[in-house]
Amino acid sequence: MGIEIVTKEDLQIFRMQLVDDFKSLIVQFKPAEVENLKGLKTRHVRTMLDCSANKVQSLRIAGKLRFKKVGGTIYYNREDVKTLLNEGY
């Protein structure tokens, strides 16, 4: 088993390949799809639904609001909030 040495130039080439790959992935999304990827924070959901933080949490626990937690911030799915608004939750 031989030893391979990774140089700064190797890392630079790898970085550029990653950047190119990400660019090609981003180009595939349509603007509407990109907008849907952006989640709503709890305060926005509370304002839209005119409810308390506890109500948002109970909707989340009940599975009526899909969410992602990034760091310490929870982001909610826009479509779920729109559905709740239309149904009058």
Side-chain angles (χ1 to χ4, degrees), residues 43-53 55-56 85 89:
R43 62 186 156 112
H44 295 120
V45 174
R46 287 184 58 206
T47 302
M48 291 172 74
L49 298 177
D50 191 29
C51 65
S52 67
K55 180 63 178 178
V56 173
L85 280 171
Y89 78 97

Side-chain angles (χ1 to χ4, degrees), residues 29-71:
F29 284 107
K30 297 177 184 170
E33 291 172 338
V34 172
E35 183 62 28
N36 286 334
L37 291 176
K38 296 179 184 175
L40 296 169
K41 291 184 178 182
T42 302
R43 62 186 156 112
H44 295 120
V45 174
R46 287 184 58 206
T47 302
M48 291 172 74
L49 298 177
D50 191 29
C51 65
S52 67
N54 290 335
K55 180 63 178 178
V56 173
Q57 182 180 4
S58 67
L59 290 168
R60 187 174 69 230
I61 291 169
K64 294 184 179 184
L65 277 176
R66 289 177 285 174
F67 68 96
K68 297 277 184 196
K69 189 169 185 180
V70 179

